[in-house]
Amino acid sequence: MEPEMESDRGLAQLEGYLLWSAEVAEARRHADRFTEQLPWLTTAQREDVERVYTAERLAASRAMLVRVSARGTTLRAEYTERYRQLKTRCVTVSVVCAGAASGACAALTLLIR
């Protein structure tokens, strides 16, 4: 693998790690705010509720990321195919126009003689 591709891949992994770490921290903050609304919980109960809340939030986030990733992959495939079709059409039109212009020039040359 080329060094540039490796560094791009490494940066993408680092970005993913940082984004997921931020999501984990946000889930923990939400869990903490949630349990603050339940002052009657014991310390152990509070920790359990925070743990479960955080786990549920992270599972939902992971599921959403999987759906978004799958949709992105699908869209990339669709747009790659559309781009290929457009490119084929543009080349075809260019060849036809060049052929028509060439034919018109040839016909004009024959008529002028």
Side-chain angles (χ1 to χ4, degrees):
M1 190 180 295
E2 292 181 29
E4 186 177 312
M5 290 176 67
E6 286 183 33
S7 65
D8 288 348
R9 184 171 179 239
L11 286 173
Q13 286 177 335
L14 178 60
E15 181 183 20
Y17 172 78
L18 292 173
L19 288 170
W20 187 251
S21 293
E23 184 64 26
V24 169
E26 184 69 14
R28 288 181 179 149
R29 278 192 296 277
H30 279 269
D32 184 55
R33 282 200 313 253
F34 179 73
T35 56
E36 283 177 0
Q37 298 173 27
L38 309 171
W40 59 86
L41 294 176
T42 65
T43 302
Q45 289 172 330
R46 180 185 172 112
E47 289 171 355
D48 284 344
V49 169
E50 286 178 356
R51 182 183 45 77
V52 170
Y53 186 100
T54 301
E56 288 296 317
R57 166 89 185 248
L58 292 176
S61 294
R62 186 177 302 275
M64 185 266 313
L65 287 172
V66 168
R67 284 192 308 272
V68 168
S69 177
R71 181 63 179 144
T73 301
T74 302
L75 285 174
R76 174 176 276 164
E78 288 176 17
Y79 284 116
T80 298
E81 178 58 23
R82 287 182 185 180
Y83 174 75
R84 188 194 62 73
Q85 290 173 354
L86 179 61
K87 187 174 157 183
T88 301
R89 287 180 191 150
C90 287
V91 168
T92 302
V93 167
S94 298
V95 168
V96 168
C97 288
S102 180
C105 287
L108 208 80
T109 302
L110 289 175
L111 289 174
I112 291 176
R113 287 187 183 178

